[in-house]
Amino acid sequence: MKTGTAARRLTALLVVGLVVAASGCGRYPPVSREAFELSKAVFNVCNARRSEQLDTARETVLARRDAGRISQREGRYLCDILDLAEAGNWKRAEARAQRLLRDQTQW
């Protein structure tokens, strides 16, 4: 293989890697059973575009976090998804909730 071809391939791989890293394609780490169940509820709210249920969903997430039933990190994941929905980014919110659920292989 010529040096120029190898350099172009390496550059292309680096660019692809940077794009993937910047696009947030990372996996969610494992969450508790309680957070998993809340994730399903958040997904349903986002999937059905139920803006009238966003406040209730957030209150539930925060109450369970404050009671120690889910971790701070898990609460942040779910609130970030709800933030997207509240901003009208329903498709992104739904996609993130779906990814959070999909990444949970232990449940």
Side-chain angles (χ1 to χ4, degrees):
M1 183 181 304
K2 294 183 179 180
T3 305
T5 304
R8 281 193 298 275
R9 284 187 181 176
L10 179 59
T11 301
L13 285 172
L14 288 172
V15 169
V16 169
L18 288 173
V19 168
V20 169
S23 68
C25 291
R27 295 178 55 90
Y28 281 101
V31 297
S32 65
R33 170 69 86 175
E34 182 102 16
F36 181 75
E37 295 301 323
L38 282 172
S39 300
K40 290 194 289 188
V42 168
F43 172 79
N44 288 332
V45 168
C46 295
N47 179 263
R49 314 268 194 282
R50 294 183 180 151
S51 57
E52 71 279 2
Q53 292 183 351
L54 288 171
D55 286 340
T56 302
R58 182 179 300 279
E59 288 169 9
T60 302
V61 168
L62 295 176
R64 294 195 185 169
R65 182 203 62 195
D66 293 346
R69 294 173 61 182
I70 64 171
S71 70
Q72 294 287 328
R73 175 183 54 90
E74 293 166 336
R76 188 171 51 252
Y77 293 155
L78 294 167
C79 285
D80 286 349
I81 293 167
L82 292 169
D83 288 344
L84 287 170
E86 286 178 345
N89 295 317
W90 289 103
K91 285 187 178 192
R92 284 184 61 203
E94 180 184 353
R96 290 230 183 131
Q98 186 174 37
R99 188 175 80 211
L100 177 57
L101 291 168
R102 187 178 55 240
D103 288 348
Q104 304 311 306
T105 57
Q106 75 277 22
W107 306 119

